[in-house]
Amino acid sequence: MGRGTLRIYLGAAPGVGKTYAMLSEAHRRVERGTDCVVAFVEHHARPRTEVLLHGLEQVRRSEISYRGAVFTEMDVDAVLERAPAVALVDELAHTNVPGSRNAKRWQDVEELLKAGIDVISTVNIQHLESLGDVVESITGVRQRETVPDEVVRRADQIELVDMSPQALRRRMAHGNIYQPDKMDAALSNYFRPGNLTALRELALLWTADRVDEYLQQYRGEHNIRTTWQARERIVVGLTGGPEGRTLIRRASRMAAKGSGSEILAVYIARSDGLTAASPKELAVQRTLVEDLGGTFHHVIGDDIPAALLEFARGVNATQIVLGSSRRKTWQYIYGPGVGATVARESGPDLDVHIVTHEEVAKGRGLPIARGARLGRARILWGWLVGVVGPVLLAVVLRSMEDAPGLANDVLLFLFLTVAAALLGGLRPALASAAVGSLLLNYWFTPPTHTLTVQDPENLVAIVIFFAVAVAVSSVVDLAARRTHQAARLRAESEILSFLAGSVLRGETALDALLERVRETFAMESVALLERRSDVEPWTCAGSVGPAPVSRPDDADVDMPVGDNLALALSGRVLPAEDRRVLGAFAAQAAVVLDRQRLVGEAEEARRLAEGNRIRTALLAAVSHDLRTPLAAIKAAVSSLRSDDVAWSDEDEAELLEGIEDGADRLDHLVGNLLDMSRLQTGTVTPLIREIDLDEVVPMALGGVPEGSVDLDVPETLPMVAVDPGLLERVVANIVENAVKYNPGREPVAVAASALGGRVELRVVDRGRGVPDEAKDRIFEPFQRYGDAPRGAGVGLGLAVSRGFAEAMGGTLDAEDTPGGGLTMVLTLAAAPGGGRADPELPARVTS
């Protein structure tokens, strides 16, 4: 029996309809007569999903006891015993209860597949193991249940179940996904539009990669080597002549025939800056191509056909549109022309269209000489050595009394030809070979002073000299070009390696990347521009260098990234071959920008979640903790105002005392709430002054019972730089909290000591302490540890204390008390003067 097939419904988030689609497919197969059973499907109380389970055979589940509870899991043995043709297994990434046959559900599915059973399953994109960190950065939630990517990639079919974030949120609001009590929390946290959009993009990109794998597999099996372009990109070659408008309009009509086609108009200028193009005409053509939805590109290239093909392949173009040559007939002696050369060199992947126009054969200026990429100085020296050098050498040799002989003369002239090739490239070397041949023939080959050759051996020598000179010049020029290409490719590989490494390292510094672009291409400024739509203005997402441009039209080089993002560079025009590396930089800049925003959205989501939690806790505090003292005050006041009861003096005093206690308690709670609001809004401004610690600490102990605190403040302590009012509030909150949790066997110890330039105040209780994992949590707002009664406060005391301590430049931390209990350590900065306390004050006070 062969292995079964696996079909997976992939979704971006819970509720998009994966289980619904799986059950619908099961009904279709049952109607066709396929033996299909439900091995494990959870409907999660969703009515429409539950309805689809009707009419489908469900295999019994296994019951497993774990920690006093009973859980149900898929019974693999029961499914194998039933041996259906197709089994439905929901939630592929599910972790089985300990004691199950396998640890993960995908391992259960593997057993079914090995038994020859076809399986249909579901999984969300956030459960793929490789995307765990990405999903956590987006949503702030770490997925604990994951499935290896390879398990999903091995699936025979993967079907994406897609839904827009707006539609999914509407489905959530209608109660079709979660119960009403969980709806609001889900919509404001995990199911926010930004989260859903990012998860949807992950799902689409992952599925697209899987489609590419299928396509590559198919092309390999069928030995297909040509490029398949799923999207038409049409490159229009412009010369700056009047025929450019015709070419742009023709390309636009071609693009309109295919959905999603792109137009890229490119003008290639020579590096020497000599051009017959009209700047005004180029500006008109640029406006025209942008009005038609295309993009305009200005690149540098001394070899026009090569630069055009390099640009087209760099942008993954499928078609090139060129105009018929404006040359006159006699001008073809300079070469076949750009159109013919591009058509010959394009290969099978690029279609070249030659479009006729009104300017055909009306002539254009003489072709400008092309220079190698060696710089003007080297080219000039090459021509001097190649042309002037042989003349000077002939003069020197003619002035010598003892001539070295024709063979040596040939070698000397050959040396000059090789030198010309090394300096200026092929053309100066060919000129040197021609001049040297004429000079050898005229001055050194009998009969001299004529171009005739008497001795056949001399003729052979001159011919061989010319042939060797041409061959050596060609080889030297080719070697120089290959060296230049190798250096360029090495530089490109280093740049691409840097970009790949930055992706793997997760670097998110956009300014650093733009600075690297500016340094790599020797630009003055680089800007990443974006816009929301085609009709809105461009905005700068990031820039480096002086005076960055605000529009791609104003840049010397612009590299589009999608429809609404562009990398704009100012300083010089880049050669065509540089655009491939620039495109990689632009794509990485877009990724970094998206990553920064996703990180920002995740941080905003965490901040909003914290705000929601605080608001919820505040509502709970207002509804209970603040109303409790109000209720006591109202009850006491109502009793005192009652006319039908004669209260004794003791009763009235007791009721008044209750009112006073309730008012004090209410004042304390409201004060903490106000303090927390001040901390969160950043409006706490401490008034720092130097003061003795024992002037403040005893005043902070007025709210605790007598004998409950043992205070030890040595007289040798230095003064501290604090806000006395804030410090009193901090110490009062800490001590009151310690007394509340102290069992009462011995008083809370409050001791101070000096350590370097700091002063520590330690509040020690003998309660049951706090575990290490909860020590930071007790400083969060609205947190009450353990079984503290509701009337013990709203959980703001320690949060306010830490906030005030940090506002004064100090710290507040929790440590374990040796022998059991909790120690609060308040660290404050000692006064710069190091003054001492008054020695007459007592060193030990008991309250």
Side-chain angles (χ1 to χ4, degrees), residues 101-121:
R101 179 173 180 146
N102 295 302
K104 304 287 289 187
R105 184 164 293 167
W106 64 264
Q107 296 171 329
D108 296 337
V109 169
E110 284 293 320
E111 290 196 33
L112 301 183
L113 294 174
K114 290 179 181 179
I117 300 174
D118 296 341
V119 176
I120 304 178
S121 188

Side-chain angles (χ1 to χ4, degrees), residues 236 238 248 263-265 284-297:
V236 184
L238 301 178
I248 293 171
I263 302 176
L264 300 93
V284 171
Q285 293 175 12
R286 179 171 194 155
T287 302
L288 176 61
V289 71
E290 291 176 350
D291 289 343
L292 294 175
T295 56
F296 183 90
H297 306 271

